[in-house]
Amino acid sequence: MERTYIMLKPDAVKRHLMGEVISRIERKGFNIINMKMITLNEAVLKEHYAHLVEKPFFPEIVEYMVSGPVLAMIVEGNDVVKGMRFLMGATNWLEANPGTIRGDYANSTTENLIHGSDSVENAEIEIKRFFGNI
Ligand code: IDP
Ligand code: MG
């Protein structure tokens, strides 16, 4: 069964939307097989967002992502990597369709509630990064 790395970002936690997002994942029929609250630091964000380190908005991402705890999860299911990206909606909140998590709750492209791995290969790397070899 395919696995993906999902992370509810600090805005989702602060806005008390964890339950709402977890419900959507469960109602879709995906299985949450591990979860924990953690607080990130700049070093792990430079790894996790290596593709964005050179962007002018990277400091803003770091400030946001270390501003409070996140909920890290391993989610399992049929085609779950693409399936979760579909439930999440587009990165740019103005392009995220209503009915998606970002489309329904985000009003910023930085503070967009949720991370989901973008490929099966990256999912395994990210699960190792945040959960170790399990
Ligand atoms: P993704 O989260 O949909 O996979 P990525 O391009 O991997 O999107 O970007 C990672 C995160 O960095 C986004 O979820 C968002 O929080 C932030 N981000 C991406 N692009 C922008 C931007 O153009 N402006 C501000 N923040 C951005
Ligand atoms: Mg990404």
Side-chain angles (χ1 to χ4, degrees), residues 47-64:
E47 272 184 37
H48 183 66
Y49 287 139
H51 59 298
L52 300 175
V53 169
E54 302 303 326
K55 301 280 189 194
F57 53 82
F58 188 71
E60 196 184 320
I61 294 179
V62 172
E63 189 183 356
Y64 156 53

Side-chain angles (χ1 to χ4, degrees), residues 1 4-5 9-10 17-18 21 29 36 39 45 50 56 58 64 68 70 73 85 89 93 95 97-98 106 114 117 128:
M1 191 70 93
T4 191
Y5 176 67
K9 298 180 179 183
L17 291 170
M18 283 192 294
V21 177
K36 62 181 175 184
T39 302
L45 287 163
F58 188 71
Y64 156 53
V70 301
M73 294 189 267
R85 295 289 302 194
W93 72 280
E95 291 169 9
N97 290 319
I114 185 166
S117 308
K128 279 201 184 75

Side-chain angles (χ1 to χ4, degrees), residues 1 22-32 75-78 80 84 87:
M1 191 70 93
I22 288 168
S23 290
R24 289 174 180 228
I25 295 170
E26 292 198 304
R27 287 203 303 260
K28 189 68 176 170
F30 294 142
N31 298 318
I32 298 169
V75 180
E76 191 177 70
N78 182 35
V80 71
M84 276 305 308
L87 281 191

Side-chain angles (χ1 to χ4, degrees), residues 2 25 27 31 41 54 109 111 114 121 125 127 134:
E2 192 168 289
I25 295 170
R27 287 203 303 260
N31 298 318
N41 59 42
E54 302 303 326
T109 291
E111 305 203 7
I114 185 166
E121 187 190 16
I125 292 168
I127 287 168
I134 57 171

Side-chain angles (χ1 to χ4, degrees), residues 104-122:
D104 287 349
Y105 297 112
N107 56 54
S108 151
T109 291
T110 304
E111 305 203 7
N112 58 6
L113 288 106
I114 185 166
H115 167 82
S117 308
D118 61 10
S119 67
V120 174
E121 187 190 16
N122 282 335

